[in-house]
Amino acid sequence: MSNARTARFSRRGLLAAGGALGLGALVTACGSEDSKNGDSDAKGATKSGPWSFKDDRGKTVSLDHVPTKIVAFTGVAAALYDYGIEVKGVFGPTKTKDGKADVQAGDMDVSKLTVFGNRFDQFNVEQYAAFQPEVLLTTTFDAAGSLWYVPLASKDKIAKLAPSVAVSVFDRQLPKPLQRMAELAGSLGADLEDAKVVEAKKRFEAASERLRKAAKSRPEIKVLAGSASDAIFYVSGSNFSIDLEYFKALGVNLVEPPEKAKKANGGWFENLSWENVDKYPADIIMMDDRASTIQPADITEATWKKLPAVKAGQVISRSPEPILSYDKCTPLVENLAKAIESAKKVA
């Protein structure tokens, strides 16, 4: 799938959609002043000396030391945490309404994090400046390299305060961004030869092979990737999404909405009314696990409850924005493999 097919559509609408993966704000790399380490520094980094990293936009950020005053998108910070790099400044879904850790926060202790913005288009620039960041780390969901969860309205101010690094999660299969996140963690001082890290990668590879075998043995099992909001049910296509592209490559029989139906949403997904939620037969439904979406247990629509996969209890979770560590992505692959292995043909 060519990166040239990047869409232009409503960023706010995509976040409201839940299953959508919208466009962030483009922030180019720029210089920043060195700052002394403090209580909010990243922990776990042991590497010293000059630091340089070339990101997936082709931009190289160089500092005269390994950065410790790091600010990262919550999911990126959660991935780095799994490699032993503790980032203290974050932006993006971090806490739920009741103050608990958002699913995208992984194993981090959110009570100890400085949160510059917990929602889309929310970023406290003054607080960010006071933090004296050395680098900003996030992902990008388009070919243009737009920075995920960096608001358009304040992107220029944010860009002046620290250089940025982006790991692409657009139009590529899951192993690639996993590799790139590991490389980023390694550059920051993570020990990629640590037994836990090596074992986590082996488990991911084993899970992938299990899914490949499951898909090959059960080609008749149809899998739909969905996301729920009050008025709309979203059906995602495999193009662009790192997890779905990977699952398809492993042989999973995914529901694929026609390009015409996805056109209004940049090619990512199709909008369905709840009355038409049964448009695509499916034996397994993977539902968006993000806090911005309605979770399966809370869906009250009668049409949903009548779906064969729902009645058969063949609904599993999906992470459209997976935490990019092998430790966190392995269960996503294992769960789908297990679901296909045990699924009844109901569609």
Side-chain angles (χ1 to χ4, degrees):
M1 192 75 64
S2 171
N3 282 355
R5 297 182 58 195
T6 303
R8 298 189 180 279
F9 44 98
S10 170
R11 298 164 69 242
R12 186 177 297 278
L14 288 176
L15 248 291
L21 299 175
L23 301 180
L26 177 62
V27 179
T28 57
C30 60
S32 67
E33 295 183 359
D34 296 341
S35 57
K36 296 181 180 179
N37 299 344
D39 292 339
S40 297
D41 290 351
K43 297 180 180 180
T46 57
K47 190 176 180 181
S48 60
W51 179 79
S52 180
F53 190 83
K54 184 176 182 179
D55 75 0
D56 291 337
R57 301 169 299 173
K59 297 181 181 295
T60 299
V61 176
S62 298
L63 299 174
D64 61 9
H65 63 281
V66 178
T68 55
K69 295 289 261 187
I70 300 170
V71 172
F73 172 68
T74 302
V76 172
L80 293 175
Y81 183 90
D82 288 346
Y83 285 102
I85 306 297
E86 296 186 39
V87 177
K88 295 301 183 181
V90 300
F91 59 98
T94 307
K95 299 178 182 180
T96 58
K97 293 180 179 179
D98 57 6
K100 295 181 180 179
D102 188 277
V103 65
Q104 295 189 63
D107 294 332
M108 294 189 297
D109 183 346
V110 297
S111 68
K112 297 180 179 179
L113 297 173
T114 298
V115 184
F116 302 105
N118 198 64
R119 300 190 305 274
F120 197 65
D121 269 350
Q122 180 189 76
F123 197 114
N124 190 320
V125 181
E126 290 73 21
Q127 184 184 24
Y128 179 65
F131 186 86
Q132 294 183 297
E134 293 175 312
V135 67
L136 180 148
L137 312 176
T138 188
T139 53
T140 179
F141 277 93
D142 61 29
S146 304
L147 297 187
W148 189 229
Y149 265 78
V150 173
L152 288 173
S154 54
K155 69 180 182 66
D156 293 336
K157 292 181 180 179
I158 293 170
K160 292 177 181 178
L161 296 170
S164 60
V165 167
V167 173
S168 178
V169 288
F170 173 72
D171 197 14
R172 57 190 58 194
Q173 295 177 24
L174 184 57
K176 182 61 176 179
L178 277 173
Q179 175 189 338
R180 292 292 287 147
M181 189 62 70
E183 292 171 355
L184 177 58
S187 78
L188 294 170
D191 181 5
L192 300 185
E193 300 302 320
D194 180 81
K196 291 183 178 179
V197 174
V198 173
E199 179 59 27
K201 186 175 181 180
K202 288 181 178 179
R203 287 191 293 107
F204 175 80
E205 292 169 346
S208 297
E209 184 58 28
R210 179 183 176 182
L211 179 55
R212 186 193 304 277
K213 291 179 178 178
K216 184 176 181 179
S217 65
R218 302 295 306 279
E220 76 281 7
I221 299 300
K222 197 76 174 178
V223 180
L224 181 147
S227 184
S229 69
D230 289 331
I232 300 173
F233 184 80
Y234 304 88
V235 179
S236 294
S238 66
N239 49 328
F240 304 149
S241 298
I242 57 173
D243 62 331
L244 299 185
E245 283 199 11
Y246 188 48
F247 297 157
K248 185 176 182 178
L250 291 174
V252 176
N253 185 2
L254 291 168
V255 168
E256 293 284 2
E259 292 301 318
K260 183 178 180 180
K262 297 183 294 181
K263 186 176 181 180
N265 301 303
W268 289 90
F269 57 92
E270 177 181 2
N271 297 358
L272 296 178
S273 66
W274 283 103
E275 289 75 14
N276 296 318
V277 73
D278 60 353
K279 179 177 180 179
Y280 298 107
D283 302 292
I284 296 171
I285 300 176
M286 295 191 298
M287 289 297 290
D288 190 336
D289 68 355
R290 291 175 294 182
S292 58
T293 70
I294 300 176
Q295 297 306 300
D298 299 319
I299 299 176
T300 59
E301 300 290 340
T303 49
W304 163 262
K305 294 181 179 180
K306 291 179 181 179
L307 293 176
V310 175
K311 293 172 68 175
Q314 296 178 174
V315 178
I316 64 174
S317 65
R318 175 199 170 210
S319 298
E321 294 181 62
I323 294 172
L324 294 173
S325 71
Y326 293 105
D327 181 71
K328 292 296 183 293
C329 286
T330 295
L332 307 180
V333 182
E334 289 177 335
N335 290 344
L336 180 54
K338 181 179 179 180
I340 293 175
E341 291 167 350
S342 60
K344 297 178 181 179
K345 181 64 183 174
V346 295

